[in-house]
Amino acid sequence: MICLLVITTFSNNVSATGPTVKIKHYKNNKNFQYAVISGTKYKNANAKMLKYTKTVYQANAKLQTRLKKDLKAGRAMKGMEYWSTVSCRKRYNTTNKTSILCINDTYDGGAHGMPYVKSFNLYKGKVIGLKSAFKSESNYTAGKKYAKNYMLNHPNNYPFADQQTTIAGHSFIWTKKGLQVVFDPYEVASFAGGIKYVPVPVEYLKK
């Protein structure tokens, strides 16, 4: 199931007019990916992306230590594995805007693992958060309202969304039509529903 979630998350939405983006493996381990963007102005962005992958790598090391203790204590079955991995892809890339989407897939016991989304969105070479993607405070407010209404008007896609649901603080990716805010499983839909995307039109956003 997790593999399916990751595959469907990395659907094509890439423009090829921006800087060169390469996906590399931390410590030559394919389970720990990070992106490197060419050009000196992306030095800080590259450092942030590498730092995130290092954090996942360290979390995985802790899980392996915990697994040994759980096996010894009988809290885990022989042959069971725990893991925390990260896969990254370029999702959008133009002169001013680049989106790298990473999926941290973690399993530490229980019924199934969980994919957690982490995006790195660049505007003119700098990593920005969701709020900074909007033209103004009023556009941010209007964009949040648009996204909430979109989810409430599509209950089949976002069955858990309600009046308290907000895009604030979430990951996102740039698109040709604006951006898409990303919700992890269980936030606005069931685990089986996978990772969900909510569009925000370009008129609210920085060009």
Side-chain angles (χ1 to χ4, degrees):
M1 179 63 73
I2 294 298
C3 291
L4 176 61
L5 287 169
V6 172
I7 291 171
T8 55
T9 297
F10 291 148
S11 57
N12 293 327
N13 188 24
V14 178
S15 174
T17 60
T20 299
V21 178
K22 294 183 179 180
I23 302 300
K24 295 191 175 184
H25 299 150
Y26 182 61
K27 291 186 178 293
N28 294 317
N29 190 322
K30 65 181 181 180
N31 291 322
F32 304 95
Q33 298 181 348
Y34 64 99
V36 176
I37 306 174
S38 63
T40 56
K41 73 175 182 178
Y42 300 104
K43 181 179 179 180
N44 289 337
N46 288 335
K48 289 180 179 180
M49 291 188 286
L50 177 57
K51 182 179 180 180
Y52 172 70
T53 296
K54 286 181 178 179
T55 299
V56 176
Y57 182 89
Q58 292 164 359
N60 182 69
K62 291 180 180 179
L63 280 177
Q64 303 318 307
T65 299
R66 176 182 158 188
L67 176 60
K68 291 179 181 178
K69 293 180 180 179
D70 287 353
L71 287 169
K72 187 175 181 180
R75 292 189 295 266
M77 297 183 295
K78 185 177 181 180
M80 180 178 286
E81 296 183 13
Y82 294 167
W83 65 79
S84 187
T85 65
V86 58
S87 300
C88 299
R89 295 289 186 276
K90 175 179 69 177
R91 289 295 305 269
Y92 192 75
N93 196 25
T94 64
T95 301
N96 287 336
K97 298 177 179 180
T98 298
S99 288
I100 307 297
L101 189 69
C102 297
I103 304 293
N104 171 209
D105 180 18
T106 297
Y107 179 72
D108 58 359
H112 55 71
M114 271 291 293
Y116 300 98
V117 176
K118 173 69 173 179
S119 65
F120 296 92
N121 298 284
L122 284 71
Y123 181 71
K124 296 184 177 180
K126 295 182 179 180
V127 176
I128 65 169
L130 177 63
K131 187 175 181 179
S132 297
F134 290 79
K135 291 187 289 188
S136 65
E137 184 73 34
S138 61
N139 277 281
Y140 178 55
T141 299
K144 287 191 293 183
K145 183 177 180 180
Y146 175 93
K148 180 187 290 185
N149 288 336
Y150 185 90
M151 287 185 277
L152 294 176
N153 289 328
H154 296 82
N156 289 337
N157 288 332
Y158 315 100
F160 297 171
D162 57 26
Q163 289 296 333
Q164 283 68 53
T165 303
T166 179
I167 63 173
H170 279 78
S171 293
F172 74 96
I173 55 173
W174 299 111
T175 72
K176 292 180 180 179
K177 295 181 179 180
L179 61 78
Q180 290 181 331
V181 182
V182 190
F183 285 80
D184 291 332
Y186 293 123
E187 291 189 301
V188 293
S190 67
F191 177 80
I195 294 166
K196 292 294 185 180
Y197 296 86
V198 180
V200 176
V202 69
E203 57 259 33
Y204 299 111
L205 309 171
K206 292 177 179 177
K207 295 182 178 180

